[in-house]
Amino acid sequence: MVNLEDIKKAREEIGDIIHKTPLLSSELLNARAGRRIFLKAEHLQKTGSFKIRGAVNAVKHAVRNGAEFITAASSGNHGQAVACIAGKLGIPAVIVVPQDANRAKVAAIEAYGGKVEYCGFTSSDRIPRAMQLAAENSGVYIPPYDHPHIIAGQGTIGLEILEQLPEVDVIVVPVGGGGLISGILTAVKAIKPEVRIVGVEPETGNDTQLSLKSGKITSVSGNFSIADGLRTSQPGELTFPILQKQLDDLVVVTEEEIKSALQFIIERTKQLIEPSAAVTVAAILAGKAGGQDERIVAVLSGGNIDLLELRSCLPE
Ligand SMILES: *Cc1c(COP(=O)(O)O)cnc(C)c1O
């Protein structure tokens, strides 16, 4: 399905657009956690999240195959990433967002040159509309995680981590629909299978944990975690089998643990990250991921947080 060759090709494909993000470290964080931690800084990536990696790979393939128009259904980081790469390639894009979409996020999509269409409140309203728009306009709909080109693009993070820290023992990764962790698993397990990969979900949206336990895709509803990039209701058809086969561990963190980790990272390391990225540090600080003498990489997946909403994402 997706293999190491696909990820190496993706790296060539996206190299002219994306940043190779740094691996940061903090003595204060190491002292607090009692272990050696490295932060893969995807909050410093173009568009403020790793989503641009998969989006560039998928949109470039679509355009090469004749797409004249691009759609996506996301008011969040995926919508911004697709709008950004479509804008750079000069291809019109419509991003379908919910009626109650955050104004700052809509403004970001428009600033990248994307057109915004409002539709319904749930992804089952938005996705069919985005697909319909694509079908009517010789376009291609770009999904957020369940697509081989998306998974391969996200997997380029795995290649970078192995080059930046060849002696890494554990990589800790946030899990929403599972595109990010599927890509990292595919790259890292092909090159260095002894590196352990741990996924992290919010306790209130533990669909992947439940799916792994029951052995089949299981959905949860009513996930209102502050980690809004991880609110997907179930793992993907393509991503889930990759997790089932290769993932070492999946742990969950509470909302309080996410808030404390977010505060610690912002105050102590001065890195502005979003709650979905803080789950990895939350799991490490809670002793749920990574052992004492191990070199642990936490993927900081994004930094798009509305400053007016920041207060509600910190501990009381
Ligand atoms: C999308 C996203 C995730 C989750 O990625 P999946 O591929 O859906 O698992 C994590 N963090 C941030 C910041 C995101 O935007």
Side-chain angles (χ1 to χ4, degrees):
M1 208 267 308
V2 180
N3 59 34
L4 181 59
E5 268 323 294
D6 299 323
I7 297 173
K8 288 183 174 166
K9 273 192 221 139
R11 189 181 201 177
E12 303 262 298
E13 190 81 86
I14 71 180
D16 62 332
I17 306 272
I18 67 134
H19 297 308
K20 179 170 180 176
T21 53
L23 209 50
L24 308 173
S25 61
S26 153
E27 285 183 18
L28 284 169
L29 178 60
N30 291 349
R32 163 86 179 264
R35 28 205 93 180
R36 265 184 299 172
I37 302 169
F38 301 83
L39 304 170
K40 180 61 172 163
E42 287 293 300
H43 62 299
L44 305 177
Q45 185 54 267
K46 284 255 173 75
T47 70
S49 89
F50 72 91
K51 289 282 200 320
I52 190 71
R53 295 177 184 258
V56 172
N57 197 38
V59 172
K60 280 195 175 179
H61 272 94
V63 168
R64 195 172 307 129
N65 289 328
E68 295 168 4
F69 175 66
I70 296 295
T71 69
S74 153
S75 59
N77 291 337
H78 177 63
Q80 292 185 31
V82 170
C84 174
I85 180 59
K88 280 190 191 296
L89 298 176
I91 304 287
V94 171
I95 312 297
V96 183
V97 307
Q99 305 279 7
D100 58 352
N102 175 305
R103 273 192 311 123
K105 291 182 174 178
V106 168
I109 291 168
E110 289 173 340
Y112 289 121
K115 263 186 69 184
V116 169
E117 182 177 310
Y118 292 89
C119 176
F121 290 94
T122 67
S123 58
S124 38
D125 300 322
R126 289 191 298 280
I127 294 172
R129 177 62 186 150
M131 287 178 156
Q132 180 196 22
L133 280 170
E136 287 170 1
N137 297 281
S138 319
V140 171
Y141 163 73
I142 308 289
Y145 51 86
D146 218 17
H147 189 286
H149 294 149
I150 298 286
I151 295 171
Q154 323 305 31
T156 58
I157 295 174
L159 301 181
E160 288 180 21
I161 292 173
L162 291 181
E163 286 168 11
Q164 291 169 309
L165 188 72
E167 62 277 29
V168 58
D169 296 300
V170 186
I171 304 175
V172 188
V173 187
V175 178
L180 173 61
I181 198 165
S182 296
I184 292 177
L185 276 167
T186 304
V188 172
K189 293 291 182 182
I191 298 172
K192 250 189 154 202
E194 66 274 24
V195 175
R196 293 195 341 274
I197 314 266
V198 179
V200 188
E201 278 185 317
E203 198 175 70
T204 63
N206 64 338
D207 49 288
T208 299
Q209 185 185 51
L210 294 175
S211 300
L212 289 168
K213 272 189 188 146
S214 68
K216 59 178 200 301
I217 292 176
T218 305
S219 61
V220 298
S221 58
N223 170 13
F224 294 107
S225 172
I226 57 166
D228 57 355
L230 311 181
R231 282 185 194 156
T232 16
S233 60
Q234 60 177 61
E237 305 273 340
L238 297 181
T239 57
F240 182 58
I242 301 175
L243 271 66
Q244 261 187 317
K245 203 167 136 219
Q246 316 222 60
L247 188 64
D248 292 283
D249 197 7
L250 188 116
V251 301
V252 298
V253 289
T254 66
E255 296 296 287
E256 280 313 307
E257 287 168 339
I258 300 170
K259 289 178 179 179
S260 303
L262 185 69
Q263 180 174 29
F264 189 88
I265 291 292
I266 294 176
E267 279 187 352
R268 303 295 173 204
T269 73
K270 317 303 172 191
Q271 302 299 313
L272 185 61
I273 63 168
E274 60 182 278
S276 299
V279 301
T280 55
V281 174
I284 296 166
L285 291 178
K288 297 173 185 175
Q292 283 300 334
D293 298 315
E294 294 184 314
R295 273 156 297 225
I296 308 166
V297 171
V299 176
L300 297 185
S301 48
N304 291 324
I305 184 163
D306 187 332
L307 285 184
L308 297 177
E309 283 170 15
L310 178 57
R311 183 66 197 87
S312 63
C313 298
L314 298 174
E316 291 302 314

